[in-house]
Each structure stands twice: as C-alpha cells, then as structure tokens.
Amino acid sequence: MPGVSYDDVPTTRLPPPSTEQQILGERQPSGWVLQKLDGGRGPGRGVIHAVDCEEAPAGTPLLPLDQALDAAEHPGTRLWSLCSAAAELDPVLKGFEHDFGGSENGSRGTK
C-alpha cells in the first residue's frame, strides 16, 4: 500500500511441515466435552463442544466418540454449531438413523 512501511514485517520462512503433517494434514484434537446446564445435576440440558472450542468449559472430562454420541441423544442436549462439534457429530447421528431405520430397530439415531 502506498505510504505504508513494511520494515517491521518478518521475512523469514516458516519451517517446512513435518512428514506426519504432510501425510495427515492439519488435525484437530479429537474428543468432545459436555457443558452441563441447569446446575449440572442429572441428565438435564447440556451443550456438546469440540475439545478445542473456546466456549468449552475448562476442566471438563474429555468424551470419546461413543460417549459424545450417547450424550447427544439426550433430548435436552444440543451440539454447539460454532465449533466443529455439530459438523462432526450430527452426520454420524443422522447417518445411523438414515441407513439403519432409526431407534426403532435398536440402532443409534436421534430421538
């Protein structure tokens, strides 16, 4: 831009990505956390966040996929759409319902 000095802009190159990063690409930390609402007692209401979400409560236990899906099936629980939780878990929940006929045959699905 005319009249703007770029003297303070770093000009060093970034190190090359590791072999693992080249093969796997950028990876998100895996896991989800459940933010309990209504005082956190009982199955009540909750919000599931990706583990790296800025809105995820600190110190909350990490949920693996099966536990996150179980929690997501509770009627008062929703998937946080501002992080990757909804994008990652919603297709799994809906995929089971669509492919296997839903909860009436014992498969995982939205209730």
Side-chain angles (χ1 to χ4, degrees):
M1 296 187 81
V4 176
S5 171
Y6 292 100
D7 293 338
D8 293 330
V9 175
T11 57
T12 58
R13 293 185 184 263
L14 295 173
S18 69
T19 303
E20 180 183 53
Q21 285 179 322
Q22 289 176 7
I23 294 169
L24 298 175
E26 291 298 319
R27 300 193 70 186
Q28 297 283 331
S30 64
W32 298 269
V33 295
L34 175 61
Q35 177 184 10
K36 292 189 176 188
L37 305 175
D38 297 334
R41 298 174 190 239
R45 294 181 21 207
V47 178
I48 297 177
H49 297 272
V51 69
D52 59 343
C53 177
E54 292 180 9
E55 299 294 322
T60 305
L62 185 67
L63 300 175
L65 178 62
D66 59 335
Q67 290 179 355
L69 291 171
D70 287 342
E73 289 182 317
H74 288 281
T77 303
R78 62 188 173 98
L79 302 173
W80 191 245
S81 61
L82 299 180
C83 67
S84 61
E88 293 169 349
L89 296 175
D90 197 41
V92 176
L93 290 167
K94 289 181 178 173
F96 277 111
E97 180 181 70
H98 174 73
D99 292 340
F100 299 111
S103 59
E104 65 274 0
N105 68 359
S107 69
R108 186 181 303 277
T110 55
K111 294 181 180 177

